[in-house]
Amino acid sequence: MYNFVRRGAYMLLIAGLTMGVAGCSDDDPDYDNVTPPVVEVASNTLTGVITSLNGEGISGAKVSLGEGNSATTDANGVYLFKDVKAGTYQLKAEAEGKLSQTGTLTVADVKKSQNLVWNAALASDVKKEVSVSADAPSEGKVETETLKGNEEAKVEVKAEIAAGAVEADEAGEVKVVISPLYREEDVMARAARATDETMLVGAVLSCNKEGASLKKAIELGFELDSELAGKVEAKQYKNGEWVKVNSRIEDGRVIIAASEFASYGLFLGVEFSEKKSTEVVAFEQSKWDNLYGSKDMSVVEAAYIYKTGTEISTEGTSKLTALLVEKLAQRFGATAVTVSGSYPINVTLPVGTMLEISGVQEEWSVSASALGKSASGTRYGIVTVAVVTSNRQHTGGGE
């Protein structure tokens, strides 16, 4: 009797377990092949850092992207545009007391989210006014700006004006105005480049009286060193191009006989190079794993950090090396800033799915070299972000 009861209880237990398993298979969903959510590709953004020539970020600078679209820089000189669509844009950076700078940006339609970059280093709007007369000579001088720590690159620009050198029709005090010039392109928006040469330093001569002319040449001197002075070529911007102009050398100074109110510069063959590499972007969280979770998971955004701008070594050993450092800063940007970014995701992950985000940033090794001297730096470029979702049957892959 006891054995019969025990055998009956055992059979009931087996039947109960069987019914329980059958019940589970009927009620529970299959999470092995859940369709992962689709993450919309985020719109492109544009960022960069606007600095003075000394490398310090300019707070409150205005950056224009095409017509009617502008952004203001933060305390570090960083600006941000959202939702930048494919196309070609004219850019302009401007700030109080600074000379504006323009550029062109072409955004390709690559079907991936990109954080694009444009930087600018703005020169101070410095002018030296020198009163001139018919009876006595006069002179005036200005110094060029440099990156902090690169003071060796400073160049004194001196104008010596003979008595009666200026002829003006208008009445009143006549003044010659001297302004530093840092890039040959700054003379006009589309100034012709001087073949393969680069302007190391320049100056603009003008007059406070419209239509004034020079009866006698102004001696416009640039303080270099004896070695470099003999290697550069003096040029004047005239009729839409840079042309050779007469000059002489005295104690390391290059002196141009300026016969017109115009822009003048000292040019040298400089070779610029850029070599691209990539660096992995660091995300605060890069994976959301709900493969074996118990409920849906909401994913809103992914925070990350990256760099914008350019890092340049200022350890110059000569006048030329220091000037090459300045050329890199003027061309690519004068400093680099670490920036916090946020990539919008806005999806719900069902149980049985996972999401991963990754990104890379372009890094360009840049250099400028001439006459056996060189300067180098790192320019931080575009950030490209990719988001991948998957389920239990496929837990990898990419866009």
Side-chain angles (χ1 to χ4, degrees):
M1 181 68 179
Y2 175 76
N3 289 336
F4 176 78
V5 171
R6 185 173 63 177
R7 184 180 303 169
Y10 179 75
M11 294 300 292
L12 288 172
L13 176 61
I14 294 297
L17 288 174
T18 301
M19 291 178 66
V21 171
C24 288
S25 62
D26 291 338
D27 298 337
D28 291 350
D30 179 8
Y31 291 117
D32 287 338
N33 197 22
V34 178
T35 301
V38 175
V39 180
E40 296 292 332
V41 176
S43 59
N44 296 324
T45 59
L46 170 65
T47 188
V49 56
I50 309 301
T51 69
S52 299
L53 288 187
N54 63 9
E56 294 181 356
I58 302 175
S59 176
K62 178 183 176 182
V63 182
S64 301
L65 179 65
E67 294 184 5
N69 191 12
S70 64
T72 302
T73 58
D74 64 14
N76 295 316
V78 177
Y79 69 91
L80 175 66
F81 287 97
K82 297 180 179 180
D83 193 20
V84 180
K85 307 206 182 306
T88 298
Y89 299 89
Q90 297 301 314
L91 291 156
K92 184 177 183 180
E94 49 193 331
E96 184 176 357
K98 303 292 183 181
L99 299 175
S100 63
Q101 187 169 323
T102 60
T104 302
L105 175 72
T106 298
V107 182
D109 187 5
V110 295
K111 307 302 182 185
K112 285 191 176 183
S113 176
Q114 293 186 317
N115 184 8
L116 306 147
V117 178
W118 183 73
N119 309 303
L122 306 185
S124 297
D125 189 7
V126 174
K127 294 181 176 67
K128 176 64 177 179
E129 295 185 342
V130 184
S131 296
V132 297
S133 73
D135 304 319
S138 55
E139 65 177 43
K141 58 186 179 182
V142 294
E143 275 191 337
T144 59
E145 293 181 90
T146 68
L147 275 173
K148 186 177 181 180
N150 194 43
E151 286 75 16
E152 178 66 23
K154 283 185 179 180
V155 175
E156 180 188 271
V157 184
K158 183 178 180 181
E160 297 182 76
I161 308 162
V166 181
E167 183 175 58
D169 295 331
E170 296 182 23
E173 186 178 16
V174 178
K175 295 181 180 180
V176 169
V177 183
I178 315 163
S179 306
L181 181 63
Y182 297 94
R183 306 186 313 162
E184 58 266 41
E185 298 93 337
D186 291 338
V187 177
M188 292 180 64
R190 297 182 180 274
R193 293 192 62 86
T195 63
D196 294 329
E197 295 181 315
T198 297
M199 188 182 72
L200 293 181
V201 63
V204 180
L205 283 181
S206 60
C207 185
N208 69 324
K209 301 296 183 181
E210 187 176 349
S213 60
L214 291 176
K215 294 170 60 178
K216 301 175 184 178
I218 293 176
E219 293 200 336
L220 186 63
F222 297 86
E223 189 75 38
L224 299 179
D225 60 30
S226 56
E227 179 183 4
L228 182 57
K231 303 294 185 181
V232 297
E233 185 171 60
K235 296 194 175 186
Q236 174 187 348
Y237 186 73
K238 188 172 184 177
N239 298 326
E241 61 180 345
W242 289 94
V243 296
K244 187 176 179 180
V245 68
N246 291 333
S247 66
R248 69 181 192 276
I249 300 171
E250 290 183 3
D251 300 324
R253 293 175 69 229
V254 178
I255 302 173
I256 296 174
S259 59
E260 297 179 85
F261 289 116
S263 298
Y264 298 88
L266 303 182
F267 287 78
L268 184 69
V270 177
E271 181 180 349
F272 292 92
S273 69
E274 300 181 59
K275 184 178 180 181
K276 178 183 172 181
S277 62
T278 57
E279 187 71 22
V280 174
V281 173
F283 285 86
E284 185 177 292
Q285 182 177 347
S286 60
K287 180 187 291 187
W288 286 263
D289 189 344
N290 202 25
L291 292 175
Y292 296 93
S294 59
K295 60 182 180 179
D296 290 350
M297 178 185 296
S298 177
V299 184
V300 178
E301 61 184 10
Y304 63 100
I305 58 172
Y306 63 100
K307 284 189 175 183
T308 186
T310 306
E311 293 176 342
I312 302 174
S313 171
T314 57
E315 297 179 359
T317 57
S318 68
K319 192 75 169 181
L320 176 54
T321 303
L323 287 170
L324 292 175
V325 167
E326 297 300 312
K327 292 296 102 181
L328 286 180
Q330 292 159 21
R331 177 172 286 208
F332 300 117
T335 194
V337 177
T338 299
V339 181
S340 297
S342 178
Y343 189 90
I345 298 176
N346 299 317
V347 298
T348 298
L349 288 178
V351 175
T353 64
M354 180 173 67
L355 183 148
E356 296 176 276
I357 188 169
S358 62
V360 294
Q361 180 171 25
E362 294 177 356
E363 289 189 6
W364 297 83
S365 296
V366 296
S367 66
S369 57
L371 303 178
K373 307 291 185 180
S374 65
S376 61
T378 301
R379 177 174 69 87
Y380 297 96
I382 295 172
V383 175
T384 303
V385 175
V387 181
V388 175
T389 57
S390 55
N391 57 25
R392 293 178 184 176
Q393 293 190 10
H394 180 70
T395 57
E399 295 181 349

